[in-house]
């Protein structure tokens, strides 16, 4: 298995571990903008921690930082999908389609393996932008924290701009279908 396919598989595992109901509850309770800010703060925390001690903490911290950034990006994307579509459980393919559109990747009617790899590559390129700055002790914390915060906030803005009016999610169809079945017929 090549590293791009492994990356896509890793993204799928992260996606499957998401607490969708927790995301829904948080968006309902605090609103989408506060939810995005909270995710950005969580990302900033690992960015700062991975850059605090310079090269020494960077070696251990960057992998954890990358994983946390992907988790926060996925949480933000799921939060915006719920905010816009009222659906908090979507398939990985549907989810990656929206992630791809938000990153500017050309996504057709069906998402192919090469599109998934293109999306994964774009995410990694964006996440690796702040890595060099984290090698400088103390200053690396400020760089890592602020870059991560800005990255997640930018993801939130990008996903919120995605026109989801034409995107039909399987979960939404199932939800509407069950609503129709449970409604009583007029007498």
């Amino acid at each position: 298995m090549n590293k791009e396919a492994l990356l896509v598989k890793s993204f799928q595992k992260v996606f499957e571990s998401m607490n969708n109901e927790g995301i829904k509850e948080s968006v309902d309770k605090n609103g989408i903008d506060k939810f995005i800010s909270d995710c950005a703060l969580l990302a900033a925390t690992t960015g700062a921690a991975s850059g605090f001690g310079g090269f020494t903490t960077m070696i251990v911290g960057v992998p954890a930082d990358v994983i946390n950034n992907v988790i926060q990006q996925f949480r933000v994307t799921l939060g915006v999908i719920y905010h816009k579509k009222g659906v908090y459980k979507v398939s990985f393919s549907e989810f990656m389609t929206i992630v791809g559109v938000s990153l500017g990747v050309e996504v057709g009617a069906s998402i192919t393996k090469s599109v998934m790899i293109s999306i994964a590559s774009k995410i990694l390129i964006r996440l690796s932008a702040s890595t060099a700055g984290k090698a400088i002790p103390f200053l690396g914390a400020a760089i890592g924290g602020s870059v991560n915060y800005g990255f997640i906030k930018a993801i939130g803005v990008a996903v919120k701009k995605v026109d989801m009016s034409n995107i039909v999610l399987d979960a939404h169809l199932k939800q509407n279908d069950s609503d129709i079945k449970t409604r009583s017929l007029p007498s």
Side-chain angles (χ1 to χ4, degrees):
M1 183 181 296
N2 63 16
K3 61 184 173 184
E4 289 88 4
L6 185 61
L7 187 60
V8 171
K9 199 98 164 130
S10 298
F11 283 173
Q12 186 166 5
K13 285 193 183 293
V14 168
F15 171 77
E16 290 169 354
S17 72
M18 293 283 109
N19 177 1
N20 296 16
E21 291 183 21
I23 292 168
K24 174 194 176 300
E25 289 172 16
S26 186
V27 170
D28 285 343
K29 179 180 175 188
N30 301 314
I32 191 63
D33 293 325
K34 173 85 167 88
F35 178 75
I36 292 169
S37 291
D38 290 348
C39 291
L41 284 172
L42 288 170
T45 302
T46 57
S50 67
F52 186 76
F55 190 72
T56 307
T57 56
M58 191 177 106
I59 292 170
V60 175
V62 167
D65 183 38
V66 168
I67 291 167
N68 187 45
N69 267 296
V70 170
I71 289 169
Q72 298 314 317
Q73 177 182 4
F74 284 14
R75 290 182 73 229
V76 164
T77 304
L78 285 168
V80 173
I81 291 169
Y82 170 67
H83 175 73
K84 288 182 133 193
K85 300 291 281 180
V87 173
Y88 61 96
K89 292 183 180 180
V90 297
S91 73
F92 181 65
S93 178
E94 293 167 334
F95 173 77
M96 289 305 286
T97 298
I98 293 169
V99 169
V101 170
S102 74
L103 293 172
V105 174
E106 290 292 324
V107 180
S110 64
I111 194 157
T112 63
K113 185 177 180 179
S114 64
V115 171
M116 287 270 205
I117 290 169
S118 178
I119 292 167
S121 296
K122 274 216 175 206
I123 290 171
L124 277 186
I125 288 167
R126 288 185 176 199
L127 290 176
S128 63
S130 70
T131 302
K134 292 177 185 175
I136 306 163
F138 302 110
L139 181 59
I143 292 169
S146 60
V147 168
N148 285 6
Y149 184 85
F151 173 74
I152 297 300
K153 290 290 277 191
I155 290 296
V157 168
V159 177
K160 283 171 60 176
K161 286 182 180 178
V162 172
D163 178 13
M164 294 186 200
S165 61
N166 294 330
I167 298 174
V168 178
L169 303 170
D170 287 342
H172 196 249
L173 290 174
K174 289 175 188 170
Q175 180 179 329
N176 287 341
D177 188 41
S178 70
D179 288 347
I180 290 168
K181 288 178 183 174
T182 58
R183 274 190 229 137
S184 59
L185 297 172
S187 320

